[in-house]
Every structure is written in C-alpha cells, then in structure tokens.
Amino acid sequence: MLDEKNVIPLYYQLKEILKEKIKDGSWQEGLKVPSERELMEFYSVSRATVRKALSEMMMEGLIYSKQGVGTFVSKTKITQNLIGELSFNLQAILQGLTPSSKVVYAALESPLPNRIMDIFNLNQNEKIHKIIRVRSINDTPLILETLYIPYKFAPEILNQDLKNIAVFNYLESECKLTFTHSTLEIEPIAINEFESNFLEIEVGKPSLSLERVIYFHEQVIAIQRRIMRGDRGKFSLTLGEKPKKHEDYLVGIEFNE
C-alpha cells in the first residue's frame, strides 16, 4: 500500500502500483480502469492524487479515456529491434501485425545540409536520394521516417515501389551494399506542425527522434531518421554479459498498435 511518510509523492507511488498491474497482466488491454472514487477508497488517497497518477499514465500511453464511458488500458505494446533487423515491415509481420507505408516525398537532392554531406563525406556536387515515408501498424501512423542514400550507391531506387519495398533489403540484394554496423542517437523532441500532419498527433506533443547512421566498414552508406510518437512507445536495452563490441548491444523499441 501507499506510504505517506515516504519521500516519494503519493501520486507517484500510486502510479507505479497501477503500472505494475499492467505489466504483470492483472490489468489486460481493453480493461476498464476502476473509477477515481474506487481508487480513492481502495488506496485511501485524495482525488487529486488519483487524477495526477492517471494523468501521467495517460501521457505515457498506458491508458486512454473515452468521454462519458471511462478509462481503459491501452493495447499491448509490440517490440521493434533498432540495431538488428532493419526492416520495419518484417518485424511487424513476425509479430502478427499489418505494416504499411505512405510515401510523402522522394527526390534526388543536392546539396543537402552540410551536416548530412559531412557524415557521408561527399562534396557539394554529389547528389543524395531523400525519401520520407509514414510507417504505420494496423493503419495507425507511428513513425515518420526520412532516409538519405547517396545516388552513387543506389541510382535506381526512386524507380522502385517505395510504398511497399523493404529499402534495406533492396540495398543489400540489388545494390550489393553490406551493412557492417550502425550508430544510433536518440533524443526527445516536440512534434512540429509538419510531423503532426502525418502522425495524427497535436503539435508540441512529446516524441522521440532516432537517427541511425549505417556503415559498410568505414563508409557511411545510409542515414535513417525516425520521428516516433512519444505516446506510443518506450525503449528497452539488453546488454550481453560482457559486451566486447558495439554489435553486442541490443537496443529495442516498443510501441502501441
């Protein structure tokens, strides 16, 4: 039960207890959460404490409300491996889900921002494919993805079916580009107006920016940037017993349907 003498605020204690009910399966997806009054009486706390706990759980995407009906447990989260399998479609299919993509933009550009050119170690005269797609699961938009691929590595990629193609499989099988390793940077950001139009979320809402630089030994062959709705996901990190190199770190992403 809750401890009023604990330095941890009561609302936070309550939130952690309720979160555990979801994690251990006591509260399954779609279950109607007890009312504020029921939680107040059971845990002997004020309405303000209950509301703050539920509000934060809602912000974290664990529960959602239906006006005039009640509050419910969100759908079970699914997992995507960020460092291993690069194919969004394959990972979704393996988990029994239906992936889809919408092409927002696809063009050959030059020059791009200096930072992008510097990462690829290209001069300003060289061109780069820029592809922007919305990645969805079961028709729910989750990720706005931008890919940068130098023209010299994949000259025909814009002629492919970018809505359905597994880009990284194409680069490996058709362009003979072998991926040896990648680096990943993750940072929290706020959704801007452009992103909100495609992710169906309000401007200013929290989200996660994931930028992966993909290498063939010392040569950068692709940059992938994903903006993921913050209310749909969390990250997990699994370490080997004694990691010896970068590839021994497995980074995962979980997001709601």
Side-chain angles (χ1 to χ4, degrees):
M1 297 300 288
L2 306 184
D3 182 3
E4 293 185 359
K5 297 180 180 180
N6 198 308
V7 296
I8 300 175
L10 285 176
Y11 84 87
Y12 192 88
Q13 294 182 49
L14 177 59
K15 183 181 75 167
E16 292 302 299
I17 289 174
L18 300 183
K19 285 174 66 174
E20 283 302 317
K21 290 183 177 295
I22 296 175
K23 290 180 180 179
D24 67 18
S26 299
W27 285 8
Q28 296 186 350
E29 65 177 76
L31 176 75
K32 186 175 182 179
V33 174
S35 67
E36 290 182 357
R37 180 165 295 279
E38 289 173 324
L39 292 173
M40 288 167 56
E41 293 176 354
F42 187 83
Y43 292 102
S44 300
V45 292
S46 68
R47 185 179 299 275
T49 295
V50 171
R51 285 185 173 177
K52 188 168 180 58
L54 295 179
S55 176
E56 291 202 358
M57 290 178 68
M58 201 168 296
M59 290 178 63
E60 294 174 16
L62 297 171
I63 58 176
Y64 65 95
S65 64
K66 291 183 178 180
Q67 189 170 2
V69 181
T71 302
F72 299 84
V73 176
S74 298
K75 291 183 178 180
T76 303
K77 295 184 176 183
I78 60 177
T79 303
Q80 184 189 10
N81 183 336
L82 290 177
I83 296 297
E85 172 58 54
L86 292 174
S87 173
F88 175 89
N89 289 349
L90 179 58
Q91 291 190 47
I93 291 170
L94 290 175
Q95 296 173 66
L97 302 168
T98 303
S100 60
S101 298
K102 174 184 176 182
V103 179
V104 175
Y105 178 85
L108 191 60
E109 293 193 351
S110 179
L112 282 162
N114 289 336
R115 187 183 72 87
I116 299 296
M117 303 301 286
D118 289 344
I119 290 175
F120 282 115
N121 193 27
L122 299 176
N123 62 56
Q124 292 298 316
N125 295 323
E126 295 186 79
K127 295 184 177 182
I128 296 179
H129 299 295
K130 181 177 180 180
I131 302 167
I132 303 177
R133 300 186 292 180
V134 178
R135 315 306 301 273
S136 300
I137 294 290
N138 296 348
D139 295 324
T140 299
L142 297 174
I143 293 170
L144 184 63
E145 176 188 76
T146 302
L147 292 170
Y148 298 98
I149 304 166
Y151 173 81
K152 64 183 180 182
F153 294 145
E156 297 299 321
I157 193 168
L158 295 188
N159 295 326
Q160 309 307 309
D161 180 7
L162 296 176
K163 179 180 178 181
N164 298 306
I165 190 176
V167 169
F168 291 105
N169 288 345
Y170 171 81
L171 293 178
E172 286 192 307
S173 62
E174 300 299 325
C175 304
K176 309 305 178 185
L177 297 173
T178 302
F179 310 133
T180 57
H181 65 285
S182 63
T183 62
L184 177 68
E185 292 186 359
I186 305 171
E187 64 175 320
I189 62 171
I191 288 286
N192 62 35
E193 184 175 358
F194 176 79
E195 295 155 355
S196 72
N197 291 333
F198 299 104
L199 294 179
E200 299 179 6
I201 190 172
E202 296 177 15
V203 173
K205 288 292 185 179
S207 64
L208 293 167
S209 171
L210 303 89
E211 183 172 279
R212 177 161 48 188
V213 179
I214 300 162
Y215 290 81
F216 171 65
H217 297 296
E218 299 303 316
Q219 174 68 62
V220 177
I221 54 181
I223 298 174
Q224 177 195 64
R225 187 180 187 226
R226 285 178 169 176
I227 305 298
M228 188 188 73
R229 291 176 53 164
D231 63 337
R232 295 292 187 180
K234 67 178 182 180
F235 291 94
S236 63
L237 175 64
T238 302
L239 303 178
E241 183 178 354
K242 290 184 178 180
K244 298 178 181 179
K245 53 186 178 180
H246 174 80
E247 291 89 334
D248 289 337
Y249 290 84
L250 175 63
V251 181
I253 178 176
E254 296 183 349
F255 48 87
N256 288 328
E257 295 182 48

